[in-house]
């Protein structure tokens, strides 16, 4: 078993750059192929690179996440993923913390996510809520999702100070 304390201390979160697009694409593609994340094209990633944060260990990108503005007071955490071999080491929580910092900097009051990892988000201060309270979400990714009419993801919400 890896020494997780040392690994956690080494994970550094930073804003993604254009040089990260290929790595982000591969990381997200791995989740999309399992049906647990919507795919993102390289073109979309290039266009939206400013919304992404990455986690690095020793210069290697091992995780990512992004914020999507859904309304004046609501953002969604999207494309949150960790490379195989690095899960369970606190990297996802570091990414969520960084994304929440960004939401606060933008004076956004609420952060939501659609997830299969409810316990992870609960540990990070989110609460399960009814998806229907997010009409903004319907007009973004949901219209392109194959699960649009039978969505099995759970909505979680964190209200910021």
């Amino acid at each position: 078993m890896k020494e997780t304390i040392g690994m956690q201390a080494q994970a550094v979160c930073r804003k993604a750059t254009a040089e990260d697009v290929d790595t982000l694409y591969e990381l997200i593609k791995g989740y999309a192929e399992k049906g647990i994340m919507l795919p993102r094209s390289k073109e979309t990633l290039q266009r939206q690179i400013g919304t992404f944060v990455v986690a690095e260990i020793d210069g290697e990108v091992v995780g990512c996440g992004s914020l999507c503005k859904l309304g004046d007071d609501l953002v969604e955490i999207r494309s949150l993923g960790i490379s195989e071999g690095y899960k369970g080491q606190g990297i996802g929580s570091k990414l969520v913390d960084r994304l929440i910092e960004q939401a606060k900097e933008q004076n956004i009051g609420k952060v939501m996510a659609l997830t299969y990892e409810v316990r992870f988000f609960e540990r990070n201060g989110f609460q399960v809520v009814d998806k229907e309270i997010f009409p903004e979400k319907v007009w973004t990714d949901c219209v392109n999702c194959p699960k649009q009419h039978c969505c099995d993801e759970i909505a979680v919400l964190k209200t910021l100070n």
Side-chain angles (χ1 to χ4, degrees):
M1 182 164 159
K2 293 180 182 172
E3 172 61 60
T4 58
I5 302 302
M7 295 298 282
Q8 285 178 350
Q10 295 174 9
V12 176
C13 294
R14 63 167 173 80
K15 282 192 162 290
T17 66
E19 290 76 39
D20 297 315
V21 167
D22 288 341
T23 305
L24 292 174
Y25 175 78
E26 291 300 324
L27 182 58
I28 293 167
K29 181 177 144 195
Y31 279 91
E33 287 171 349
K34 295 175 187 168
I36 53 178
M37 191 181 288
L38 287 175
R40 303 272 182 240
S41 69
K42 287 184 183 181
E43 295 76 19
T44 297
L45 290 169
Q46 287 168 342
R47 214 172 36 252
Q48 298 176 349
I49 198 67
T51 68
F52 275 85
V53 171
V54 296
E56 279 185 333
I57 294 179
D58 297 330
E60 178 188 357
V61 172
V62 297
C64 66
S66 72
L67 274 188
C68 177
K69 193 166 185 178
L70 297 177
D72 290 339
D73 199 40
L74 179 65
V75 289
E76 178 187 11
I77 292 178
R78 289 187 181 173
S79 303
L80 184 67
I82 308 299
S83 298
E84 290 299 326
Y86 292 95
K87 295 176 183 174
Q89 299 176 17
I91 297 167
S93 293
K94 278 189 169 188
L95 285 165
V96 167
D97 288 346
R98 182 68 181 263
L99 292 167
I100 287 172
E101 281 175 33
Q102 288 185 357
K104 287 178 179 177
E105 289 166 8
Q106 297 171 36
N107 294 315
I108 303 291
K110 295 181 282 191
V111 180
M112 64 86 63
L114 289 176
T115 185
Y116 296 108
E117 300 294 335
V118 173
R119 286 187 25 225
F120 165 80
F121 279 97
E122 287 176 334
R123 284 193 306 271
N124 283 281
F126 287 73
Q127 295 182 319
V128 173
V129 294
D130 188 346
K131 279 190 284 256
E132 282 64 42
I133 70 170
F134 301 118
E136 300 94 337
K137 178 68 182 151
V138 173
W139 302 112
T140 55
D141 278 349
C142 295
V143 295
N144 299 314
C145 181
K147 297 180 180 181
Q148 179 182 6
H149 299 294
C150 57
C151 181
D152 55 352
E153 288 184 302
I154 306 298
V156 292
L157 177 69
K158 181 171 186 167
T159 302
L160 308 178
N161 299 343

